[in-house]
Amino acid sequence: MSSGPQCTTVQLEPYFSGQSPLGPAAPGSALVRQKQTSCPRRVQARGLPLQHTGREQKRQPIVASRGSDPFIAAGSRLQSLLSGIGDGEEEMLESYLSEQAPETKMSLSLLAGGVMSSGALALCWLTGSDPWGGASVSFHSLMAATLGAAACVPLLMLRAAMWTNEARLRFPVLEELQRWQAEQSSSIVRNLSAVQMAVLVCCDVLPTTVMTLPAAQGGLTASFQIYASHIRDWGVSVPEMGPPVAALGVTALLAAGARLFEHATTQEEYEVVATAIVNADRYYRVMTNGVRGTAKDPDNAAKAFKAVASQWLQQRQQACTVLAVLTAAEVLFLGLLWRMTGDMAAPLTAAMMMTSVEYTFVRKLTDAGM
C-alpha cells in the first residue's frame, strides 16, 4: 500500500501560459473537479487566455517534459489549438485601432455612432415612435435624469464589486466575462483622455439605447397593441400595460440572444477541442514515444489535457449564459425606467453611468499593461 496521502477529488485550475488581461488568475478560480487516486500539487496559472487575442505570448512546451507539470503543457497545447482558428482579421483590426491616435479613434467612434443613430432614427420613423422617447430640454427631463442616476447607484456598486479579485475568486465565470470586455474595448480606450472617454461613452450608449427603447420597443408595442385590440374584440380582457410589457420582454430576449450569438463557442472551436479530447490518449502516446519518462506519463498528460479542455468548454458555456442573463436584466431595468418616467433621459443617464464604470476598469487594465 502507498504511504502517500490519498484523496478522492482534487481541484485543478486551467493551466494556461501567458499573461491574462486581468492579471494573474485568482487562486482557486475556474476549478475543475477530476477523480484522482492521489493529491498532486496545485500549480498557480499565470493567466487564462481562453480566447486568442492575436498577441504574442510566451508558451510552455505542448508536451510535458520529465519533471514538468502536465497541466501547464495541456494548457499550452489548448492555447495553440485555439490560436490557429480563424483568419486573424479581428486581431488585425484590434491592432490597427490600438495604434491609431486618439483623434482618429474619436472620428471613427463618431462615424460609427452616427451610422447607428441614423438607423435607429429610420426605424423610429417607420414605426411612428418618438426617437427622443419623451426627453427634452426641460425641468421634467432633468428630474428624470436625476431619478435614473439615483436608481442605478446600487447597480454601479455591484458592477464595481464584480471587478474585484475577491469576486473573481468566488465566481470564476466573472474572469471570462471581464476578459471579453477587456479584449473588445482595450484597443479603443487606449491613450484616451477623460473628455475623449466621455465622448466614447456617448457614441456607444446613445445609438444603442435609442435603438433598444424607442425604436424596438416602440415598434413592438404598436404591433402588440394591434393584436390586443383583436383579442378584445373577441371579448377577452387585455390589460393596457400588456403590450408594452410584452414588448419589453421580447426586446430583452432579443438582446440576450444577440449576446449569446456573439460570444458562444463557434462550431469550429468546438470541433477542434472535442476532436483533441477524443484523440488525447493516442496523441500523447505518439508524442511521448522515445521521450525519457515513466510509463504513466502519456496517461497523465492525456488526463490533464482532457480536464483542461473540458473545463474550457464548460466555462465558455457558463460565461455566455451569465452574459445573456445580465444583458436581459439590463434591458429590463432601462426599459422599466423609461416606462415609469416617460422620459428617455432616465435610462440614458443610467446606461451612460454603467458603461462609464465598465470603461473605467477596462482602462485601468489597459494602462497596467494589458
Side-chain angles (χ1 to χ4, degrees), residues 253-323:
L253 290 177
L254 290 175
R259 287 289 191 178
L260 280 175
F261 178 80
E262 180 182 3
H263 293 289
T265 304
T266 65
Q267 183 67 23
E268 185 179 5
E269 288 175 333
Y270 180 81
E271 290 178 354
V272 167
V273 176
T275 302
I277 292 176
V278 172
N279 298 326
D281 294 308
R282 181 176 59 181
Y283 172 83
Y284 284 102
R285 281 197 300 268
V286 173
M287 294 300 294
T288 56
N289 186 27
V291 178
R292 293 180 59 186
T294 66
K296 293 184 178 180
D297 285 348
D299 293 336
N300 293 336
K303 290 179 181 179
F305 180 80
K306 291 177 182 179
V308 171
S310 299
Q311 172 62 14
W312 183 83
L313 291 173
Q314 180 182 2
Q315 186 170 343
R316 280 293 296 269
Q317 182 179 6
Q318 291 175 349
C320 287
T321 303
V322 173
L323 182 61

Side-chain angles (χ1 to χ4, degrees), residues 11-13 15 27-29 31 40-44 69:
Q11 294 179 335
L12 306 177
E13 299 177 6
Y15 294 89
S29 62
L31 301 179
R41 66 181 181 87
R42 295 182 59 187
V43 177
Q44 175 61 47
D69 194 289

Side-chain angles (χ1 to χ4, degrees), residues 14-150:
Y15 294 89
F16 288 84
S17 62
Q19 184 64 38
S20 166
L22 300 177
S29 62
L31 301 179
V32 183
R33 296 192 176 274
Q34 180 79 5
K35 293 289 184 179
Q36 300 286 344
T37 58
S38 62
C39 296
R41 66 181 181 87
R42 295 182 59 187
V43 177
Q44 175 61 47
R46 289 183 59 196
L48 295 174
L50 298 178
Q51 204 169 5
H52 178 54
T53 61
R55 288 179 288 275
E56 292 296 331
Q57 299 184 15
K58 181 179 179 182
R59 297 180 183 274
Q60 299 288 341
I62 293 178
V63 178
S65 59
R66 184 177 183 182
S68 63
D69 194 289
F71 293 95
I72 295 179
S76 180
R77 187 192 174 212
L78 179 59
Q79 179 183 349
S80 178
L81 291 172
L82 295 174
S83 64
I85 298 175
D87 53 13
E89 292 184 358
E90 183 177 350
E91 288 77 11
M92 291 178 60
L93 177 60
E94 290 178 357
S95 178
Y96 171 79
L97 286 176
S98 180
E99 296 172 355
Q100 298 306 305
E103 294 75 15
T104 304
K105 294 180 182 181
M106 288 298 94
S107 300
L108 293 174
S109 298
L110 289 171
L111 177 61
V115 172
M116 291 185 62
S117 297
S118 299
L121 292 175
L123 187 56
C124 288
W125 178 75
L126 290 174
T127 59
S129 304
D130 178 15
W132 300 108
S136 61
V137 183
S138 62
F139 179 75
H140 180 271
S141 292
L142 178 61
M143 294 301 296
T146 304
L147 177 61

